[in-house]
Amino acid sequence: MRAAVWHGPRDVRVEDVAPRLPGPGEVSVTVAYCGICGSDLHEYADGPHAIPVKEPHPESGRTAPLTLGHEFCGTVAAVGPGVTGFEPGDPVAVEPHYRCGECARCEAGEYNLCRHFGFAGLMGDGGLAERAVVPSYMLHRLPDDLPLEQAAVFEPAAVALHGIRRSGLQEGETVAVVGLGPIGLLVVQLAVRYGAGKVIGCDPSPTRRALARRLGAADVVDAGELPPGLADLAFEAVGAERTLNDCLAATRRGGRVVLLGLGGMFAIDAFALVNNEQSIITSVGYRDCHPELIRLASEEGMDFASIVTSVVPLDEVVRDGFETLLNTMEEIKVLVRP
């Protein structure tokens, strides 16, 4: 089968790999769509960041080279020994979090904080391939009439939904979203759905600001132009020191900032943070979000795929996927169709 395999920075090869049969507790999925995430871009551009290259990941047992892609969906091809609840042909969304099921956080239901935190497609083989083998606990059965294009966006939508849950969003609150990439745009859409009184989107791209308006933002502004002290709650969806400070400046005294972006060391004005009694809340991955997203898409008709700007074949994933996303802001979410 064909797969996009990470060998090193700027070295992703679409090549023939031997398909693997599912082992005990595993399912083989014929991949319909796989999205390209910002994490994938970082691995392609200057990785490894999360990809294991020396020591195997404890849950996947894998090191590089490995198949990228953690935002995927498809249909069940085969089930391994001991798997129940899934049959060949079932449409499924993949929730690619690895979990051990035994550590304190897993036992508390907080499996996104598992001691063996990781994702299929970063710490193990993922969905930029014709088929992917994953633990059965990662799968969610989809309604037969739900378009798989919607399910392909559930993974980033789960990041957005978990961040909103972590934020404590209250009905009627004013929300600022800084960074209107896929996660930020999905935060806009879901914040409106969950009762925000006003959502303001902030991004340098006119294309992304226009899409934020279509998804329900009451106002959009260019980078650095958020009104000070206006928001009850702000979401940082870039992963940069400047945008975190923009969020703090835009948030009222006593307000909250949710840090969704992945960055390095940041400098903030701790004196102002304390004096304003603001809170910085972090959010990583997601847990127990996919059932709600399936319901929103199938019963309420929410269109998560509205952020998709291109669908490309697997053989062109480097040129039309990774390179295009690195060199333009006009593309937002690119899906790969193996």
Side-chain angles (χ1 to χ4, degrees), residues 168-334:
L169 173 65
Q170 300 295 310
E171 188 170 352
E173 287 190 311
T174 296
V175 174
V177 182
V178 179
L180 298 175
I183 300 299
L185 287 166
L186 290 163
V187 169
V188 169
Q189 185 179 24
L190 287 164
V192 172
R193 164 61 183 78
Y194 286 104
K198 180 180 183 180
V199 177
I200 305 167
C202 178
D203 197 277
S205 166
T207 299
R208 296 179 181 216
R209 294 199 301 267
L211 181 52
R213 276 199 181 276
R214 294 199 296 274
L215 291 175
D219 197 6
V220 291
V221 297
D222 203 345
E225 294 185 358
L226 278 171
L230 177 67
D232 301 294
L233 169 64
F235 290 86
E236 198 283 344
V238 178
E241 179 181 306
R242 173 185 55 80
T243 46
L244 175 57
N245 282 301
D246 286 347
C247 285
L248 288 167
T251 304
R252 64 166 172 80
R253 295 170 67 88
R256 295 107 62 209
V257 172
V258 178
L259 184 57
L260 289 172
L262 297 175
M265 298 290 289
F266 294 166
I268 61 173
D269 185 345
F271 188 82
L273 183 70
V274 172
N275 274 359
N276 290 327
E277 204 173 75
Q278 292 169 308
S279 300
I280 296 178
I281 301 164
T282 59
S283 180
V284 64
Y286 36 78
R287 57 178 180 262
D288 304 319
C289 289
H290 279 67
E292 172 68 352
L293 296 170
I294 293 169
R295 187 193 69 79
L296 290 172
S298 62
E299 297 181 14
E300 297 191 16
M302 287 191 69
D303 181 13
F304 297 111
S306 58
I307 67 168
V308 174
T309 47
S310 291
V311 180
V312 304
L314 180 63
D315 281 343
E316 306 303 330
V317 66
V318 173
R319 184 191 69 188
D320 296 340
F322 293 117
E323 288 292 337
T324 297
L325 284 165
L326 285 173
N327 291 295
T328 179
M329 292 188 70
E330 298 310 301
E331 290 284 2
I332 299 173
K333 175 57 66 180
V334 173

Side-chain angles (χ1 to χ4, degrees), residues 103-134:
C103 69
R105 299 278 50 83
C106 280
E107 290 183 345
E110 299 171 344
Y111 57 84
N112 63 314
L113 303 178
C114 174
R115 61 180 175 175
H116 295 162
F117 175 84
F119 295 87
L122 287 171
M123 290 79 162
D125 290 312
L128 282 176
E130 293 177 325
R131 286 194 178 182
V133 175
V134 296

Side-chain angles (χ1 to χ4, degrees), residues 49-98:
H49 299 285
I51 292 174
V53 293
K54 295 181 180 179
E55 297 293 330
H57 186 271
E59 290 301 312
S60 73
R62 297 284 285 110
T63 58
L66 54 76
T67 301
L68 290 175
H70 58 279
E71 301 180 358
F72 62 106
C73 64
T75 55
V76 172
V79 299
V83 173
T84 60
F86 296 101
E87 297 179 354
D90 285 348
V92 291
V94 178
E95 179 181 359
H97 260 310
Y98 288 117

